[in-house]
């Protein structure tokens, strides 16, 4: 059995266990790391770190990772360490408005596979869970070991809209999970507690749940466009506009799970009313619907966003102008957010980002024009890399980072007489 047990009672044993958990937590969060990277992130002295790592390797919790695919340098190759891939798996499910996305990975952050299926917008939760179960069965050619989820893994789930925590969870800082989720956000049409219970029964594992856009932010910070960046701001420009903030590798949820509602920051004070009750919110000028409305007002005839992108590709000046206006609003709002939060990387995702430089160019120009001069060379703007699968990958990352079971990995707690 994996795990390290100590025979000495008292604070030194507890301190050592704390160091082990810190190292294991970094490997859960970041995946493969070198000893130098572990030292920098953990703050442990070289001697202490090497002793802790040696103990974890001897116990089988930590193993050498794959060779670095980068250019070979002089001297001895740098050894990277990772959690034992065979120690557990995590599953991610994103219940979007009109589709279900799933993804899976092991505790070493190696992605096993991902899959998606569309569905009618009024499909009940039971039908969506059926689709998720079907998709999970198809991952890795049916080789995903669901039995491993029940003992060392978890299921991270993304849903549309805010996800609230109970008062107890808010007080002790725990992640919303299981019966702790009692109220739906957005247009769920039913209590999320029922969904959690259904998923727990189907997959036989703990369920953690969060907003799917926020999970996409975590995914981009873990595997995607912002991998390696400690502080990431993610903005999704789709039929709605939302975002997520990753601080030091962890999600920031804010009070009542409302962090990331970037779509309801005022962008145009004299603009149109927003469904939130405000006026001129970013969502009213930089969502898919807003862009199509503005394009049609200029004489464009696109029936949907695919047709709009085709017109853009053909050099339609009206389409270019509409995106320039939207991108300017986005960049101006982002400049204010950057001034308040100071992220190192900004990632733009969603259907609107598929327009490429026609949108990202104006966003970058407005961001550069309005952000604090000191921050101009310290913030990187990137398009999202994970596409529609981002929410599901974020569910995996949530499970790997925050599951109570994985938090106790690689083995049992200290013996009773050492606690």
């Amino acid at each position: 059995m994996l795990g390290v047990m100590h025979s000495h009672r008292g604070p030194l044993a507890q301190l050592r266990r704390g160091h082990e958990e810190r190292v294991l937590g970094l490997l859960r969060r970041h995946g493969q790391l070198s000893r130098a990277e572990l030292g920098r992130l953990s703050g442990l002295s070289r001697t202490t770190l090497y002793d802790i790592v040696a103990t974890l390797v001897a116990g089988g919790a930590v193993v050498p990772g794959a060779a670095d695919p980068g250019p070979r340098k002089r001297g001895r190759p740098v050894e990277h360490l990772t959690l034992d891939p065979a120690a557990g798996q995590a599953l991610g499910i994103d219940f979007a408005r009109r589709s279900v996305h799933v993804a899976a990975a092991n505790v070493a952050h190696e992605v096993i596979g991902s899959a998606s299926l569309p569905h009618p917008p009024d499909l009940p939760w039971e039908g969506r869970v059926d689709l998720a179960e079907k998709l999970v069965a198809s991952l890795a050619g049916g080789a995903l070991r669901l039995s491993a989820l029940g003992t060392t893994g978890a299921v991270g789930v993304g849903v549309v809209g805010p996800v609230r925590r109970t008062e107890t969870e808010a007080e002790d800082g725990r992640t919303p999970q299981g019966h702790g989720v009692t109220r739906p956000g957005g247009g769920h049409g039913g209590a999320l507690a029922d969904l959690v219970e259904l998923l727990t029964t189907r997959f036989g594992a703990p369920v953690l749940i969060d907003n799917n856009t926020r999970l996409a932010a975590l995914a981009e910070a873990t595997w995607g466009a912002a991998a390696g960046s400690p502080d990431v701001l993610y903005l999704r420009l789709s039929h709605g506009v939302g975002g997520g903030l990753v601080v030091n590798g962890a999600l920031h949820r804010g009070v009542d799970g409302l962090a990331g509602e970037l779509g309801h920051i005022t962008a145009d004070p004299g603009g149109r009313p927003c469904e939130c009750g405000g006026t001129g919110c970013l969502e009213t000028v930089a969502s898919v619907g807003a862009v199509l409305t503005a394009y049609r007002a200029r004489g464009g005839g696109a029936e949907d966003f695919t047709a709009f992108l085709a017109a853009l590709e053909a050099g339609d000046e009206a389409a270019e102008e509409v995106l320039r206006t939207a991108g300017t609003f986005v960049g101006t709002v982002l400049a204010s957010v950057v001034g308040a939060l100071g992220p190192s990387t900004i990632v733009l995702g969603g259907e609107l980002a598929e327009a490429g430089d026609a949108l990202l160019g104006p966003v970058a120009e407005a961001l550069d024009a309005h952000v604090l001069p000191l921050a101009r060379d310290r913030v990187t703007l990137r398009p999202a890399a994970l596409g529609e699968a981002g929410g599901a990958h974020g569910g995996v990352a949530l499970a790997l980072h925050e599951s109570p079971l994985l938090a106790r990995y690689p083995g049992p707690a200290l013996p009773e007489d050492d606690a």
Side-chain angles (χ1 to χ4, degrees), residues 4-303:
V4 181
M5 304 181 73
H6 306 290
S7 58
H8 300 289
R9 179 192 303 271
L12 288 180
Q14 296 177 17
L15 178 64
R16 183 180 181 88
R17 182 67 182 183
H19 291 336
E20 292 174 0
E21 290 177 347
R22 187 182 306 178
V23 170
L24 293 170
L26 288 169
L27 292 173
R28 282 196 306 273
R29 179 171 296 173
H30 298 282
Q32 187 168 286
L33 293 172
S34 67
R35 284 178 172 80
E37 290 168 330
L38 280 170
R40 176 175 56 83
L41 293 169
S42 68
L44 298 175
S45 70
R46 178 185 174 91
T47 301
T48 299
L49 175 70
Y50 275 54
D51 180 40
I52 294 298
V53 167
T55 301
L56 293 173
V57 169
V62 173
V63 296
D68 188 345
R72 182 69 178 271
K73 299 180 181 179
R74 285 188 168 187
R76 178 184 297 180
V78 175
E79 181 182 56
H80 286 74
L81 301 168
T82 185
L83 300 180
D84 180 6
Q89 297 172 337
L91 179 65
I93 303 173
D94 178 10
F95 291 107
R97 295 183 188 276
R98 297 173 182 269
S99 57
V100 175
H101 310 277
V102 303
N106 59 36
V107 294
H109 282 219
E110 296 170 344
V111 176
I112 296 167
S114 61
S116 303
L117 276 176
H119 63 71
D122 57 350
L123 186 68
W125 281 121
E126 290 81 359
R128 298 185 190 194
V129 172
D130 287 342
L131 286 180
E133 196 170 20
K134 178 180 178 180
L135 289 169
V136 170
S138 72
L139 295 182
L144 179 65
R145 295 182 295 111
L146 291 181
S147 59
L149 294 176
T151 56
T152 56
V155 181
V157 178
V159 294
V160 177
V163 173
R164 304 186 64 178
R165 295 184 293 174
T166 64
E167 292 182 5
T168 301
E169 289 169 329
E171 289 172 1
D172 66 18
R174 285 186 286 122
T175 300
Q177 59 185 312
H179 64 276
V181 179
T182 57
R183 286 182 57 181
H188 298 300
L192 291 183
D194 294 340
L195 173 62
V196 171
E197 183 177 354
L198 182 59
L199 289 167
T200 302
T201 301
R202 293 286 185 97
F203 294 104
V207 173
L208 299 95
I209 196 163
D210 210 317
N211 171 266
N212 59 356
T213 300
R214 196 154 50 212
L215 291 184
L218 183 61
E220 293 290 347
T222 304
W223 289 288
S229 299
D231 302 310
V232 179
L233 176 65
Y234 174 82
L235 179 63
R236 179 179 174 82
L237 304 170
S238 183
H239 295 281
V241 174
L245 180 65
V246 176
V247 180
N248 195 26
L251 279 179
H252 175 70
R253 294 182 174 86
V255 60
D256 237 359
L258 293 176
E261 291 294 333
L262 303 182
H264 299 291
I265 295 176
T266 301
D268 181 11
R272 296 187 294 108
C274 179
E275 64 179 13
C276 74
T279 299
C281 295
L282 186 60
E283 190 167 296
T284 68
V285 294
S287 62
V288 169
V291 165
L292 289 177
T293 297
Y295 178 60
R296 291 164 186 161
R298 286 171 169 77
E303 295 182 0

Side-chain angles (χ1 to χ4, degrees), residues 389-413:
H393 281 85
V396 173
L398 181 70
L400 290 176
H401 294 185
E402 302 187 25
S403 165
L405 290 176
L406 289 174
R408 289 194 293 269
Y409 175 88

